[in-house]
Amino acid sequence: QVQLVQSGGGSVQAGGSLRLSCAASGYTHSTASMCWFRQAPGKEREGVAAIYTGGGNTYYADTVKGRFTVSQDNAKNTLYLQMNNLNAEDTAMYYCAAASVTTTFPPLASWDYSYWGQGTQVTVSS
């Protein structure tokens, strides 16, 4: 079992920045990939940024590429999502998730992820 606890998020004006954190505990050594997802009202959940925990390779959805950065601090067992140049379309509930095995490439598919954080709201006003 892996437990994920999120922090960060909130409200910001368009063009601003926010950073999300996701602290992992439990059997974190079994984690192969971690991913940030988001879901806006009436829309499907979207994988926006993922990282292979072993090699550190990162992957991004086209909607956030160049603006969002996913990173990990292995000493703290913490995943981060730095979000810059935010716009109203980034408004959503954001979730971190962990997977022991991924079946898709890039690893942005929600069905690969078994462990989920509690979610945190990001609201961008224009």
Side-chain angles (χ1 to χ4, degrees), residues 69-122:
T69 302
V70 60
S71 63
Q72 60 182 0
D73 184 331
N74 292 330
K76 297 181 178 180
N77 283 334
T78 300
L79 181 75
Y80 301 100
L81 184 67
Q82 178 66 42
M83 304 182 291
N84 297 329
N85 194 21
L86 287 160
N87 57 60
E89 288 69 40
D90 296 317
T91 296
M93 186 71 78
Y94 283 71
Y95 300 88
C96 64
S100 299
V101 177
T102 55
T103 62
T104 57
F105 184 83
L108 296 171
S110 60
W111 58 78
D112 273 339
Y113 292 84
S114 302
Y115 307 103
W116 292 81
Q118 79 276 18
T120 186
Q121 179 68 36
V122 171

Side-chain angles (χ1 to χ4, degrees), residues 12-97:
V12 66
Q13 289 191 331
S17 298
L18 286 172
R19 189 176 82 157
L20 306 181
S21 300
C22 174
S25 61
Y27 289 102
T28 57
H29 63 278
S30 66
T31 298
S33 175
M34 296 192 73
C35 186
W36 288 98
F37 292 85
R38 68 184 182 185
Q39 188 165 20
K43 294 188 177 181
E44 292 187 356
R45 187 166 295 188
E46 174 190 23
V48 297
I51 185 168
Y52 283 127
T53 56
N57 290 352
T58 58
Y59 305 90
Y60 299 92
D62 289 341
T63 50
V64 306
K65 197 171 295 183
R67 300 186 298 120
F68 289 14
T69 302
V70 60
S71 63
Q72 60 182 0
D73 184 331
N74 292 330
K76 297 181 178 180
N77 283 334
T78 300
L79 181 75
Y80 301 100
L81 184 67
Q82 178 66 42
M83 304 182 291
N84 297 329
N85 194 21
L86 287 160
N87 57 60
E89 288 69 40
D90 296 317
T91 296
M93 186 71 78
Y94 283 71
Y95 300 88
C96 64

